[in-house]
Amino acid sequence: LAKTTQPISMDSYEGQEVNITCSHNNIATNDYITWYQQFPSQGPRFIIQGYKTKVTNEVASLFIPADRKSSTLSLPRVSLSDTAVYYCLVGVLTGGFKTIFGAGTRLFVKA
Amino acid sequence: SQTIHQWPATLVQPVGSPLSLECTVEGTSNPNLYWYRQAAGRGLQLLFYSVGIGQISSEVPQNLSASRPQDRQFILSSKKLLLSDSGFYLCAWRGGATNEKLFFGSGTQLSVL
């Protein structure tokens, strides 16, 4: 699986847009990029996934440049409840593959 | 719809005692199943994963073992707990139509004293 690198932590204020970038220089052709969110004492939950260009859902946007060596999770107008750890994962969408999480990015949203 | 059940929610065990954590998935068949552990303030460590009944892959040498006696049941065990086994244990599954996503249980907070 491709190794990922994310900032350890980020601070933001309510109402701001937050962008978290993940580097995955050795991403393979078949790899997808998936982001998860984890609150304290809970399991991670899926946020968004993409392969290339831009993906948007009701929660976030995911920007992936043409070389796919990085990706950026964009959270519009964050609130206090967006304070969480965000994980970037890169891997193939086939059954049975082991899913390894990196250290993630701890986002702290202030009032 | 699919659901995942994990229990107990919290557990306090003395050093040297056995452990059994159970995870079951409903609403899907032949899921890929995972056990993760998370130490306080740390990331998730993959412990075991299984692609089918009786098929277990271990990622980290440790004091733990896993079994999959039924298609939708995944059990994490230990014969003798160590202090270092304390942590937040999470079961997860993927498979079926949404095989690109991992779905996690609610977790078990294990304290070994």
Side-chain angles (χ1 to χ4, degrees):
Chain A
L1 295 176
K3 181 181 177 181
T4 61
T5 302
Q6 304 173 234
I8 295 175
S9 64
M10 296 180 67
D11 289 343
S12 182
Y13 289 92
E14 283 189 295
Q16 289 187 335
E17 178 185 72
V18 171
N19 296 309
I20 305 174
T21 297
C22 179
S23 297
H24 28 80
N25 292 321
N26 58 340
I27 188 170
T29 302
N30 295 331
D31 285 345
Y32 279 70
I33 301 158
T34 310
W35 286 79
Y36 289 84
Q37 174 192 56
Q38 185 184 25
F39 298 112
S41 300
Q42 295 184 27
R45 67 166 186 148
F46 172 87
I47 299 177
I48 197 167
Q49 182 181 74
Y51 183 79
K52 61 180 179 180
T53 64
K54 176 184 175 182
V55 179
T56 297
N57 61 23
E58 65 279 5
V59 177
S61 295
L62 179 60
F63 298 92
I64 305 170
D67 65 7
R68 303 199 329 121
K69 294 184 181 300
S70 67
S71 59
T72 299
L73 174 71
S74 181
L75 304 173
R77 296 180 297 282
V78 295
S79 63
L80 296 177
S81 62
D82 292 317
T83 294
V85 178
Y86 293 83
Y87 297 95
C88 164
L89 277 75
V90 175
V92 180
L93 295 183
T94 56
F97 84 95
K98 57 186 181 183
T99 305
I100 297 177
F101 285 74
T105 297
R106 192 172 298 273
L107 173 65
F108 186 70
V109 180
K110 307 173 186 177
Chain B
S1 63
Q2 303 93 346
T3 56
I4 179 169
H5 302 281
Q6 186 180 346
W7 66 93
T10 59
L11 192 59
V12 180
Q13 292 286 98
V15 170
S17 65
L19 172 74
S20 180
L21 301 180
E22 188 164 342
C23 173
T24 59
V25 180
E26 296 179 357
T28 187
S29 59
N30 197 30
N32 297 318
L33 298 173
Y34 302 80
W35 278 112
Y36 289 88
R37 178 172 63 195
Q38 188 171 35
R42 307 293 295 275
L44 283 83
Q45 178 186 34
L46 178 61
L47 301 177
F48 302 95
Y49 68 100
S50 171
V51 300
I53 297 175
Q55 302 179 60
I56 308 295
S57 297
S58 175
E59 286 302 301
V60 181
Q62 60 219 327
N63 185 41
L64 302 169
S65 63
S67 62
R68 186 170 176 174
Q70 301 180 41
D71 181 45
R72 290 168 289 176
Q73 183 184 30
F74 206 22
I75 298 172
L76 183 70
S77 304
S78 174
K79 293 182 179 179
K80 290 185 177 181
L81 284 169
L82 306 172
L83 289 174
S84 58
D85 292 323
S86 294
F88 189 49
Y89 288 81
L90 287 158
C91 179
W93 76 275
R94 67 152 36 95
T98 57
N99 66 349
E100 70 274 18
K101 303 174 186 175
L102 269 176
F103 296 92
F104 284 83
S106 54
T108 296
Q109 185 64 52
L110 172 66
S111 298
V112 182
L113 305 177

